[in-house]
Amino acid sequence: MLATAATATWSMSAHIIVQPRSDNGLYNNAPVATVMSPINIPINQKTVINVPVADADGDITRCRWSTTFTECGDVCPPGSLPSSTVIYPNCTIVITGQHIDDWFAVTIMVEDFINSTSTTPLSSVPVQFLVHVVAAASCSTPPEIIGIPEEQSCTALTVGQNFTSQLIAINYCGPSVTILDIATLSFPGMVQGTIVELNTSTYYNTMQWTPPTAQLGY
């Protein structure tokens, strides 16, 4: 049950242009955004959520709240979110939960534009996820993820090329705190191993992927 409604209708819609672009004569590639759900946020702490966005055409991308019933049903911001929640065009959301175990639906639209001055999107893509308010952790220093690939980086592979990487988590909270998992949002075929404790401050797991022809462009 959401904090703002006992029951709510959900809806999402997308907008694309099926004609060639005016600048290069090619068909437009809509932006792609990925986000995990649910996202846990600590009570009474301003939390920044960054929604990663990629655009194959290199277009200008911006984010906004979903606004119409077809875009978000009964969970349209700002009424579906805590007061003072804001979204910025760079797809950064700032939110503060005020009650433990509250759930909120976040509904946004990611849009691409032909240039920085345009206000008419080439396409509009929905992104929807849940936010859950939890008790604040006993240690206020979050763990750090390091390793290759780096955050928001892009690694080029060829079809059939095996890719292996290690995600390393650093625990800054001492031996009384244990890292249980390193969660990832991965595409089909990505194999993630079991987390391994190297010592009380360092944990890691291994990821492997061999891209098939069907995943060209991922």
Side-chain angles (χ1 to χ4, degrees), residues 73-158:
D74 295 329
V75 289
C76 296
S80 63
L81 298 171
S83 59
S84 75
T85 302
V86 296
I87 187 171
Y88 295 96
N90 67 351
C91 301
T92 297
I93 298 169
V94 181
I95 183 172
T96 303
Q98 299 176 341
H99 303 95
I100 290 178
D101 208 33
D102 273 356
W103 288 84
F104 298 96
V106 181
T107 59
I108 69 174
M109 302 297 292
V110 180
E111 299 176 322
D112 58 341
F113 298 83
I114 202 164
N115 55 50
S116 60
T117 60
S118 174
T119 57
T120 303
L122 297 168
S123 54
S124 301
V125 179
V127 178
Q128 300 187 359
F129 57 95
L130 292 171
V131 167
H132 182 213
V133 183
V134 298
S138 57
C139 174
S140 60
T141 305
E144 180 184 10
I145 300 293
I146 62 175
I148 299 174
E150 297 180 352
E151 184 177 1
Q152 297 189 16
S153 66
C154 182
T155 302
L157 300 174
T158 59

